[in-house]
Amino acid sequence: MLETKVCIVGAGPAGTAAALQLAQLNIECIIVDKAVFPRDKVCGDGLSGKVITALNRIDPAIATRLKQADFKVNSWGVTFVSPARHSLDVGYRPDYNSKETSHKETPIGYVCKRMDFDNFLVDEVKRRPEIKLHESVTIESYELTKDGYIVTGNKGSFQVKAQLLIIANGAHSSFTKEVANITMEPKHYVAGIRAYYKNVSGNNPDNFIELHFLKSLLPGYFWIFPLPNGEANVGVGVLSEAVRKKKMNLKKSMLEIIENDPVFKERFKNAELTSSIEGYGLPLGSKKRVISGERYMLVGDAAYLIDPFTGEGIGNGLYSGRIAALEAAEALKANDFSAAKLAHYDSEVYRIMGPELKLSHRLQKLVNFPWLFNTLMKVSSRNKQLQELLSCMFYEVDLRKKLAKPSFYLKLLFNR
């Protein structure tokens, strides 16, 4: 049996962020994943400004290597399009100006396939002697003992004993369901599908990712994210509750939009589907949950931290992984792994991400009232201050406290 202070289950962005932050603190850990990297992950493939911010805080050298990587396109922001086709461009940094992008420093947002990004993070893990990575290990059981967790996988042939677990194995984590008692609720969960296309026309010259809140998909959206080599990640995400109620077939809905919508019919007329159409689930952070307990913390999708409005999970995964590593260091120092001690992790996650998750949940609800949402987009397009506040959602987590203040809504209504 292997022994370690911290065992991380899952080597996606949240798990690798936790491992890399522990390594920076000179704490050894074991990280296990059922896959062998590189592996694909169904996702929108957008990396907002939060990703570089988080990696910078873990280790600026990692952020520098990501900036130099050639598997991504530079992206400067997000285009929101309301049901009435009012369009709002929000830069990934508050000072975004389309006329100046060519003279700016390296952008802080990117789009790249998860196969490439996750493999980049795994390569970063492999650089660190403090981290032992075990691939192709499917964990089957978790046993809490008086002095740690015994984690067993691969039909008993893999066993590790750890003082503390960081659970980072995604939206379908059995630990989240069975130990943490967090279950999928249709009103806090999005069903999504994704496909890759070549030669989609009409993309923003600064590679903005696009979220189109089309009438037929509310409360959800159709997206186009530009990728390297003329490819695009195209998909649809709708609240599971609505999918059930309306008996929606997301694949059919997406193909109908591409074939019949007057705007997209034109943009896709020379496009070619280059992949299968895959489905996946997004556990949303639209509800506060208990994400730690005796000797464990949940991070990333396993902690249900996906942004309810934009569907972004990677930045929040990296942030929560880093916070968990900092809390792990404190618990090890105090030799205290009780639920009471680790509850500080929950309060840190919700202190840092809570205001933004709350705002995103409000915006998500607003989508149910198309006339109101159309008005919001119209007003925002004329309100520079408001656009800057919205860009904070993708840029600098510590600025987000502003977004939860009542003055945000006053500016929305009066400061045009």
Side-chain angles (χ1 to χ4, degrees):
M1 188 191 294
L2 300 167
E3 294 210 8
T4 185
K5 288 176 178 173
V6 184
C7 177
I8 301 167
V9 182
T16 50
L20 291 163
Q21 183 62 66
L22 287 171
Q24 287 295 100
L25 300 167
N26 296 315
I27 297 168
E28 293 188 351
C29 70
I30 285 173
I31 182 167
V32 299
D33 199 286
K34 65 182 181 187
V36 175
F37 290 81
R39 59 96 178 96
D40 189 24
K41 174 85 173 29
V42 181
C43 176
D45 296 340
L47 307 182
S48 78
K50 284 188 278 188
V51 170
I52 285 288
T53 307
L55 292 178
N56 252 323
R57 289 183 179 179
I58 295 167
D59 178 1
I62 300 173
T64 300
R65 285 190 285 272
L66 178 61
K67 287 174 186 176
Q68 292 163 350
D70 61 3
F71 53 70
K72 64 195 185 340
V73 294
N74 297 337
S75 176
W76 291 93
V78 187
T79 299
F80 296 100
V81 183
S82 77
R85 309 274 183 175
H86 296 301
S87 183
L88 172 67
D89 286 348
V90 176
Y92 277 150
R93 50 166 107 238
D95 60 355
Y96 167 77
N97 181 331
S98 60
K99 293 179 183 69
E100 294 168 14
T101 51
S102 57
H103 310 296
K104 280 178 186 282
E105 58 172 290
T106 315
I108 57 167
Y110 306 103
V111 189
C112 65
K113 290 185 177 177
R114 282 292 297 276
M115 182 178 272
D116 297 320
F117 179 65
D118 289 16
N119 197 52
F120 166 83
L121 291 175
V122 165
D123 282 345
E124 289 295 327
V125 159
K126 288 173 180 173
R127 286 170 174 263
R128 303 297 304 237
E130 305 91 338
I131 308 169
K132 300 286 179 280
L133 170 67
H134 295 265
E135 297 174 82
S136 196
V137 173
T138 302
I139 300 300
E140 288 128 6
S141 71
Y142 305 88
E143 184 196 342
L144 178 61
T145 67
K146 67 178 192 312
D147 57 349
Y149 254 103
I150 295 171
V151 176
T152 305
N154 289 3
K155 299 184 177 157
S157 66
F158 177 90
Q159 264 199 333
V160 58
K161 185 173 186 181
Q163 290 175 283
L164 184 63
L165 293 184
I166 294 177
I167 300 296
N169 55 353
H172 305 295
S173 169
S174 62
F175 190 101
T176 295
K177 205 156 89 181
E178 290 157 24
V179 181
N181 295 314
I182 298 174
T183 50
M184 191 278 251
E185 297 168 78
K187 63 178 176 184
H188 299 289
Y189 203 88
V190 160
I193 56 163
R194 172 216 74 180
Y196 290 116
Y197 279 83
K198 242 191 157 104
N199 304 323
V200 178
S201 65
N203 295 339
N204 177 291
D206 287 335
N207 291 322
F208 273 48
I209 65 172
E210 303 172 37
L211 304 179
H212 297 264
F213 292 84
L214 302 175
K215 274 180 192 155
S216 62
L217 294 176
L218 297 181
Y221 54 75
F222 173 77
W223 74 74
I224 301 174
F225 290 9
L227 281 161
N229 308 318
E231 275 193 289
N233 180 317
V234 177
V236 159
V238 182
L239 210 57
S240 293
E241 188 178 51
V243 173
R244 285 183 185 184
K245 256 187 209 162
K246 299 176 183 179
K247 296 186 170 63
M248 291 174 82
N249 177 331
L250 294 186
K251 184 177 172 180
K252 197 172 156 219
S253 298
M254 185 182 90
L255 294 173
E256 275 174 4
I257 289 162
I258 288 167
E259 282 163 33
N260 303 323
D261 181 276
V263 172
F264 297 113
K265 187 166 70 174
E266 190 57 33
R267 289 183 62 185
F268 280 79
K269 72 176 177 194
N270 299 315
E272 176 195 340
L273 180 64
T274 58
S275 72
S276 54
I277 300 173
E278 308 271 356
Y280 68 115
L282 292 86
L284 303 178
S286 47
K287 175 183 170 179
K288 207 169 172 181
R289 300 171 173 90
V290 178
I291 53 175
S292 65
E294 188 181 352
R295 293 189 183 272
Y296 74 82
M297 290 174 278
L298 310 176
V299 295
D301 289 7
Y304 281 56
L305 290 174
I306 289 177
D307 187 285
F309 184 56
T310 64
E312 197 216 351
I314 298 170
N316 289 355
L318 292 170
Y319 263 87
S320 59
R322 179 175 179 266
I323 296 164
L326 297 173
E327 294 298 323
E330 290 301 311
L332 288 161
K333 208 186 291 174
N335 195 28
D336 181 355
F337 307 98
S338 63
K341 172 72 175 167
L342 295 174
H344 189 254
Y345 164 71
D346 298 44
S347 57
E348 276 299 278
V349 165
Y350 288 113
R351 178 183 70 80
I352 292 165
M353 298 186 214
E356 170 232 350
L357 289 171
K358 252 185 217 160
L359 172 71
S360 285
H361 190 210
R362 283 177 189 147
L363 290 172
Q364 181 206 40
K365 282 178 165 171
L366 204 60
V367 175
N368 285 313
F369 305 95
W371 62 272
L372 208 49
F373 190 57
N374 288 328
T375 306
L376 168 74
M377 291 291 118
K378 224 167 156 181
V379 168
S380 301
S381 65
R382 298 195 296 266
N383 186 331
K384 185 71 182 148
Q385 200 169 9
L386 184 56
Q387 286 170 40
E388 285 178 5
L389 276 171
L390 284 170
S391 82
C392 293
M393 290 175 71
F394 305 99
Y395 174 58
E396 175 57 83
V397 171
D398 291 346
L399 294 176
R400 295 177 190 198
K401 290 169 215 155
K402 290 181 185 177
L403 298 169
K405 291 178 181 170
S407 58
F408 172 86
Y409 301 96
L410 293 172
K411 282 171 185 161
L412 179 67
L413 293 168
F414 303 116
N415 182 14
R416 297 186 180 197

